[in-house]
Amino acid sequence: MAGRLQRLSRSLRTVCAVALLTVTTYAAAQQMRGDHPETYVVVRGDTLWGIAGRFLDRPWLWPEIWQANPQIANPHLIYPGDVISLAYLNRVTAQPGPRAEAPINAIALSDIEPFLKNRSIVFDFEQLPYVVAAEDSRLRGSAERAIYVAGLAGAQPGQRYAIQRAATEFYGARRSRDLDFRGKRIAGESDLWRQVLPRLRGQDAFLGYEMVQMGVATVVRGPTTDSEMATLTVDNNGFEARPGDRLVPVNPQPYDLQFFPHPPVADALAADPQVLGVADMLLTGGPRDVIAISAGRASGVDNGTVFSIWREGPNVVDRVRYPNSSQMTEAPNAGSRRDRMPDEYAAHAMVFRTFDHVSYALVMEGTKPVQTGYRLKHPDAPY
């Protein structure tokens, strides 16, 4: 267990280092630490940026080693036994080692999977099969108990379905809204407490419904002559199912098997993405929490994209100049007698699942909590 935790820690540190990738060109030789060896032999568990982190003063400059070494055709495919020269003054060369083992990839799914949340975005769920009731008319369908589902005509015993719950509807500029068991807005819900938060920018466009996977169920029998309901048994590795939960076929591989951290493309930054929500939290999260962001495949965001997250500078009343002002000291919106403060860095996050206009990212490291409404920028942004 201790070894696994150490490997996980090294992998997470690798992601954090790669999150600081820069587009500025530096000379690798000038960044070498004085105590670096002449050569280094790649071992299992190494990555090119991990090696750079050991021997360069600025570990995010691993692309310089790669660019100075034409023998490395793909920076994500180095092999145990490869000999990398760390000679001074750009004399960085590599000798291929034996190809007896598989190439070394980037961040393995197994290193971060314990922290991921199985959530998805859809634009419509009304036509999906749904839970009508649970065994013995219980309020919830618990593990190894039956649930009764409408809309599964033709279901065959042994088929497996993911149980998903419509939890939130996301908008580009308006606040996200929580949904009730039918997938409808909660009547009478007040969002006055949200007004103290920065308002999301951009078009007031509907971005999709967030579907939270609650568990998996297996078909016991399909509809019969006596009932149109299909009977399924809930697995014991999830949460309870309730009426209104929707069912979709199980996705056997919801995540990539490995992730190659990289900066966002220009279109992704032009979309001015922001944090839409924090999984399983009200407003705020921290390292290893999952966040939803307001940019997706349509803006060029793909798995492995790394952003830095910033608190937008608040608008503060200058009490030196206006000591008798009755205005709120700090507010998200500009106004008379208020001065805009600089944006404040909070953390870095790596995208692990994308949809058309929304993506999910894992917060990797930071200096302060991440909150709904925070802005996303280039991982190397200085302000």
Side-chain angles (χ1 to χ4, degrees):
M1 182 65 178
R4 174 174 173 78
L5 290 175
Q6 289 176 352
R7 291 193 299 273
L8 175 59
S9 177
R10 286 197 299 269
S11 297
L12 294 178
R13 285 198 300 270
T14 297
V15 173
C16 296
V18 177
L20 298 174
L21 286 172
T22 178
V23 296
T24 306
T25 301
Y26 295 92
Q30 295 177 357
Q31 304 297 330
M32 287 285 187
R33 292 178 179 171
D35 57 351
H36 69 85
E38 287 286 322
T39 60
Y40 177 78
V41 179
V42 176
V43 298
R44 181 184 295 274
D46 275 339
T47 60
L48 195 57
W49 44 79
I51 295 171
R54 294 178 60 180
F55 301 117
L56 298 182
D57 286 328
R58 307 185 68 165
W60 52 92
L61 297 181
W62 68 267
E64 297 298 329
I65 293 181
W66 173 45
Q67 292 171 10
N69 180 4
Q71 291 90 343
I72 302 178
N74 186 332
H76 308 310
L77 298 178
I78 59 175
Y79 295 77
D82 284 353
V83 179
I84 296 179
S85 172
L86 301 175
Y88 196 67
L89 292 179
N90 288 333
R91 293 175 58 233
V92 181
T93 59
Q95 301 174 12
R99 293 299 188 255
E101 299 186 59
I104 297 169
N105 290 314
I107 305 305
L109 171 62
S110 59
D111 287 336
I112 62 175
E113 190 171 22
F115 307 108
L116 306 186
K117 307 289 184 181
N118 199 340
R119 302 188 172 208
S120 58
I121 301 294
V122 301
F123 280 93
D124 182 25
F125 60 86
E126 296 288 347
Q127 305 306 316
L128 293 175
Y130 61 92
V131 177
V132 176
E135 180 181 342
D136 295 329
S137 298
R138 296 171 181 266
L139 296 177
R140 299 286 190 272
S142 56
E144 300 182 357
R145 296 281 186 173
I147 56 175
Y148 307 116
V149 177
L152 274 181
Q156 299 297 316
Q159 291 179 332
R160 290 167 60 76
Y161 288 86
I163 304 170
Q164 296 188 344
R165 183 170 300 169
T168 310
E169 57 179 0
F170 288 136
Y171 285 87
R174 276 188 286 158
R175 296 290 171 208
S176 60
R177 293 187 179 275
D178 297 331
L179 304 175
D180 65 12
F181 75 98
R182 300 170 301 163
K184 305 295 184 182
R185 292 184 181 179
I186 300 174
E189 181 190 32
S190 172
D191 62 354
L192 292 177
W193 57 273
R194 301 175 188 260
Q195 302 308 313
V196 300
L197 300 176
R199 184 175 177 83
L200 297 178
R201 296 169 300 281
Q203 298 296 319
D204 193 12
F206 175 60
L207 301 180
Y209 295 104
E210 180 180 61
M211 306 295 288
V212 179
Q213 182 161 319
M214 308 305 296
V216 174
T218 304
V219 175
V220 176
R221 72 179 68 88
T224 67
T225 55
D226 295 327
S227 174
E228 296 180 351
M229 301 295 133
T231 302
L232 293 84
T233 300
V234 180
D235 288 2
N236 58 8
N237 59 349
F239 299 95
E240 295 177 326
R242 72 180 185 188
D245 287 347
R246 308 288 166 157
L247 275 75
V248 298
V250 168
N251 182 353
Q253 186 179 314
Y255 311 117
D256 289 349
L257 297 180
Q258 61 272 323
F259 299 90
F260 302 120
H262 57 275
V265 298
D267 285 349
L269 296 174
D272 195 15
Q274 297 137 86
V275 177
L276 290 172
V278 183
D280 299 330
M281 302 291 181
L282 184 61
L283 290 173
T284 304
R288 317 302 176 256
D289 281 333
V290 170
I291 59 174
I293 66 173
S294 62
R297 290 190 292 252
S299 301
V301 177
D302 60 353
N303 292 339
T305 299
V306 175
F307 292 96
S308 58
I309 307 172
W310 296 71
R311 180 198 182 203
E312 189 171 17
N315 296 277
V316 176
V317 173
D318 186 342
R319 296 294 178 183
V320 175
R321 296 176 60 191
Y322 308 107
N324 299 320
S325 174
S326 61
Q327 294 191 55
M328 183 186 300
T329 298
E330 181 178 312
N333 301 317
S336 62
R337 301 182 181 180
R338 291 199 186 104
D339 295 319
R340 167 72 184 273
M341 300 296 108
D343 291 354
E344 299 172 354
Y345 167 77
H348 278 90
M350 184 187 74
V351 172
F352 64 86
R353 198 172 189 188
T354 61
F355 299 89
D356 287 346
H357 303 291
V358 177
S359 298
Y360 288 98
L362 182 66
V363 179
M364 304 309 298
E365 51 80 30
T367 60
K368 64 178 62 181
V370 172
Q371 187 169 289
T372 300
Y374 279 16
R375 301 181 64 185
L376 277 72
K377 304 182 183 182
H378 190 282
D380 212 29
Y383 57 85

